[in-house]
Amino acid sequence: MTEFRSGSHVALRDYAVIGDGRSAALVAADGSVDWLGVPDLDSPSVFAAVLDPARGGRFLAEPEEPFTVARRYLPGTNVLETTFTTARGSVRVVDALTLEGGDDGTLTPMRELQRRVEGVSGTVPLRWSVQPRFGYGARRPRIARRAGVPVATAGGDALAVCAWDAGEPRCADHEITGRVELTRGDRALLALPFAHKEPLVLPARPDCDARMRHTLAAWHDWTRGRAYDGMWPDAVLRSALALKLLIFAPSGAIAAAVTSSLPEHLGGERNWDYRYSWVRDSAFTVDALLRTGCTAEARAYLWWLMHATQLTHPRLRVLYRLDGGGDAPERALPLEGYRGSRPVRVGNAAGAQLQLDTYGELLQTAWLHAGAAGRPDADLARRLAEIADFVCGAWRHPDSGIWEVRSAPRHFTHSKMMCWVALDRAVDLAERGLIPDRGAARWRLVRDQVRGFVESRCFSSRHRSYMRSAGGSELDAAVLLGLLYGYADDGDPRVRATVDTVGRELRRGPFVDRYSGEDGLSGTEGAFLACSFWLVACLARVGRLDEAVALMDDLVALANDVGLYSEEIDPDTGAFLGNLPQGLTHLALISTACTVTEAAREGR
């Protein structure tokens, strides 16, 4: 038997994700749904065993006998298939958060998790258990039957367990369980419709079947619309599908990850809530969406971003809620934490920091979108010009930087580079008549001042690299982003020297650390995967294509068995660390694959 749980926890590498554009669930390789927020991706959880096996709640479906596991996503979809094999036979479980709509294309009020079980060979006894724990495990439900169907309720939340050919559901204390034996060809269905402050609809089996058919067809239709013909196509498509699960359909916002407080350091305090949309991810997001043919998603995301930022204009918040709100107060939950990693946080205090690089990201995003979609409307154009004006006054301030340090603000090099990018993109947009040019002369002047600061204060001849901060002696892989966004030409000797130094000093095999030095937090962390992809892109840009391809091959191989990445990896063990699936990692994979492909076609 394959043993997945150590001390009641599953390795983060052994999770897959399913979703419906509103919420998302983590499914462990042993058949347990260990995370699900209801009704939305950033809502309190109903299943959170990934953070606390005893109190978090889960939905388990597994053979009663020792088993091994093979799993995959059904081709071109985010529907998960897991095959359990025992000494006496095998069964297949297909998991999906179904999409709205039926065979006739009409919308339906359903929000449901479906688990379909099919006997493949022999005879396999399978047990299942639904343990809802609403409100991040704080509220144990009351369980009763409605029309013979077990229903769990707590306050305004409700969840039903509809079982067909899956054994008679039994209602215990705060738990609904069942057992069934399956032989070849037997089919069982477990459907969990849920509701939040609205009526709970109990479905009929034909309706569930129709929604599953619609879900598969919708994913296939979406996948057929993706446009990418470059290197590593399978990894790029799976990354695009993973990103689609992070898009909050009601608003167009894109979350950084579907989870909260999965640790960057086991047993430590580096546990953050990533169920928000970060402005700094915007340029990578729009670039990746446009490069894979997701023009509708790119347009929706840009409009969400501009409406959300309008509330705090011209100052940007670091992150925004998926509904566009700017407040994300941070608090700790009384949960055990993944393998004892506490505190378990929801909310994110980094939202109130000053992070100057976000202004460069926003102007870069608007610049990319203008290149693909043409002239922005007058209101957006005016606001972009006002943001450039703001950068002219703000760039001299120290900030918390891309890595959201919780130590004193500093003059981070990457932040200054991105201020240069903000002003450079504003100048270009003004010269093309796409935004008002009344401030363009000042933007040019300040842009040159920013470059003078970076070149005189942030480059170390001794280390042969742009450093982490002005006058500092620490390195930072984030400066690679400034180079990728065009702060300097690929042939610039300082660019080439920085790529060499970062690769030599921060890289360990395929892994690249974010930075050297302190950040105000205790403990260490794993290697930040996006940094490795940024190094690949830089290697390709400076003409070291063979090295770029070799490193990219290594990074593609680091995905888990269903093609997903977390935020970080422990270089010593290969264990996933941090929240997952991590949007920035998948964005960086797509962007880097495109960059390397372009370099190869140009013969660099």
Side-chain angles (χ1 to χ4, degrees):
M1 175 182 179
T2 303
E3 180 62 49
F4 291 100
R5 295 193 180 257
S6 175
S8 299
H9 287 277
V10 173
L12 297 181
R13 180 176 281 277
D14 288 331
Y15 281 108
V17 63
I18 57 176
D20 62 358
R22 286 285 298 273
S23 190
L26 289 187
V27 185
D30 64 356
S32 179
V33 179
D34 283 355
W35 177 262
L36 174 63
V38 173
D40 298 324
L41 189 150
D42 57 353
S43 297
S45 62
V46 62
F47 301 134
V50 67
L51 293 176
D52 193 321
R55 290 177 288 179
R58 62 161 50 96
F59 180 4
L60 177 68
E62 66 174 3
E64 291 183 336
E65 302 170 347
F67 59 84
T68 59
V69 168
R71 59 181 183 166
R72 63 168 186 158
Y73 284 107
L74 296 181
T77 78
N78 278 313
V79 176
L80 181 68
E81 178 189 88
T82 305
T83 301
F84 298 98
T85 299
T86 73
R88 292 202 294 150
S90 60
V91 294
R92 182 181 297 124
V93 179
V94 175
D95 292 318
L97 282 166
T98 55
L99 305 179
E100 292 186 6
D103 288 340
D104 59 358
T106 57
L107 293 176
T108 68
M110 294 306 301
R111 300 285 310 288
E112 69 184 359
L113 167 64
Q114 285 194 25
R115 312 199 73 179
R116 293 174 169 267
V117 188
E118 178 183 0
V120 177
S121 65
T123 300
V124 179
L126 182 134
R127 62 189 173 201
W128 56 267
S129 171
V130 181
Q131 304 162 24
R133 301 292 185 268
F134 296 98
Y136 300 116
R139 295 184 294 157
R140 292 200 170 197
R142 183 175 65 87
I143 295 177
R145 290 183 180 268
R146 299 182 187 175
V149 176
V151 175
T153 58
D157 293 305
L159 178 152
V161 179
C162 302
W164 292 278
D165 300 320
E168 179 62 29
R170 298 184 296 275
C171 299
D173 186 26
H174 312 301
E175 180 180 14
I176 303 163
T177 63
R179 179 187 183 277
V180 62
E181 287 196 0
L182 297 110
T183 59
R184 181 176 180 178
D186 289 342
R187 288 180 171 84
L189 171 60
L190 292 163
L192 270 66
F194 46 88
H196 174 71
K197 296 182 179 179
E198 61 187 4
L200 178 66
V201 178
L202 301 180
R205 185 167 188 171
D207 296 329
C208 291
D209 294 340
R211 274 189 294 279
M212 179 59 84
R213 288 191 295 268
H214 171 75
T215 297
L216 291 169
W219 282 121
H220 288 143
D221 287 345
W222 187 84
T223 300
R224 280 193 291 269
R226 305 292 59 79
Y228 178 77
D229 62 352
M231 304 168 73
W232 306 285
D234 293 341
V236 168
L237 179 57
R238 178 47 55 193
S239 288
L241 283 160
L243 290 174
K244 184 65 172 174
L245 291 179
L246 298 176
I247 297 175
F248 185 59
S251 69
I254 302 180
V258 306
T259 54
S260 177
S261 279
L262 296 182
E264 299 169 12
H265 172 68
L266 289 180
E269 65 173 326
R270 298 169 183 265
N271 318 309
W272 316 112
D273 191 346
Y274 275 16
R275 297 170 300 158
Y276 300 98
S277 192
W278 266 255
V279 176
R280 78 161 38 86
D281 294 350
S282 61
F284 267 125
T285 298
V286 168
D287 183 53
L289 292 174
L290 291 174
R291 288 186 176 201
T292 53
C294 302
T295 53
E297 289 86 350
R299 187 181 306 111
Y301 173 68
L302 180 66
W303 279 109
W304 170 85
L305 182 64
M306 298 313 299
H307 283 297
T309 56
Q310 186 171 13
L311 299 176
T312 56
H313 179 77
R315 176 146 184 176
L316 300 178
R317 292 187 66 85
V318 174
L319 56 90
Y320 293 85
R321 296 197 312 268
L322 302 184
D323 63 4
D327 295 326
E330 186 175 291
R331 62 188 176 94
L333 300 176
L335 297 177
E336 172 189 326
Y338 181 80
R339 296 192 174 176
S341 303
R342 290 187 294 272
V344 174
R345 296 181 175 96
V346 292
N348 199 308
Q353 291 180 344
L354 173 65
Q355 296 178 19
L356 291 172
D357 64 292
T358 58
Y359 297 91
E361 293 282 356
L362 184 63
L363 265 296
Q364 174 78 1
T365 299
W367 182 75
L368 287 170
H369 193 266
R375 180 181 298 276
D377 68 36
D379 179 64
L380 174 55
R382 173 186 57 78
R383 289 172 53 208
L384 292 172
E386 291 171 351
I387 289 172
D389 289 337
F390 179 85
V391 173
C392 287
W395 79 270
R396 293 184 181 276
H397 296 297
D399 73 330
S400 297
I402 183 175
W403 305 127
E404 302 179 347
V405 297
R406 300 207 172 187
S407 53
R410 296 159 67 177
H411 290 286
F412 288 105
T413 302
H414 169 259
S415 296
K416 305 306 183 191
M417 286 179 167
M418 293 308 295
C419 286
W420 184 95
V421 169
L423 296 171
D424 185 72
R425 298 302 181 254
V427 167
D428 183 73
L429 290 169
E431 289 175 346
R432 289 191 281 152
L434 298 179
I435 66 174
D437 64 355
R438 62 180 182 271
R442 184 187 180 207
W443 303 338
R444 293 186 187 93
L445 175 64
V446 177
R447 179 187 61 182
D448 293 342
Q449 292 173 350
V450 175
R451 180 176 289 279
F453 180 94
V454 173
E455 296 305 312
S456 64
R457 303 272 308 273
C458 301
F459 186 85
S460 169
S461 297
R462 182 167 69 89
H463 293 90
R464 300 187 71 248
S465 178
Y466 291 103
M467 306 308 291
R468 187 180 179 199
S469 60
S473 59
E474 302 163 351
L475 294 172
D476 187 351
V479 300
L480 299 176
L481 275 182
L483 308 182
L484 291 174
Y485 285 158
Y487 167 80
D489 294 334
D490 298 338
D492 188 316
R494 289 189 169 190
V495 170
R496 293 175 175 271
T498 298
V499 173
D500 285 341
T501 301
V502 169
R504 183 178 63 252
E505 300 295 333
L506 294 182
R507 179 179 172 184
R508 295 174 284 169
F511 305 108
V512 176
D513 293 332
R514 289 194 286 182
Y515 47 79
S516 59
E518 301 298 322
D519 57 10
L521 295 169
S522 63
T524 59
E525 63 174 6
F528 197 76
L529 285 168
C531 295
S532 295
F533 287 110
W534 299 342
L535 180 59
V536 171
C538 283
L539 290 169
R541 291 274 294 270
V542 301
R544 294 160 61 177
L545 185 60
D546 289 345
E547 292 178 63
V549 171
L551 178 53
M552 187 70 172
D553 285 339
D554 289 342
L555 294 173
V556 168
L558 291 175
N560 73 357
D561 60 316
V562 290
L564 300 180
Y565 294 87
S566 61
E567 179 183 18
E568 300 179 1
I569 287 184
D570 184 329
D572 296 324
T573 66
F576 277 10
L577 295 169
N579 289 297
L580 73 140
Q582 178 72 14
L584 185 58
T585 308
H586 287 281
L587 288 166
L589 184 152
I590 294 172
S591 179
T592 299
C594 293
T595 297
V596 176
T597 296
E598 291 165 2
R601 289 172 177 169
E602 293 169 3
R604 294 186 190 177

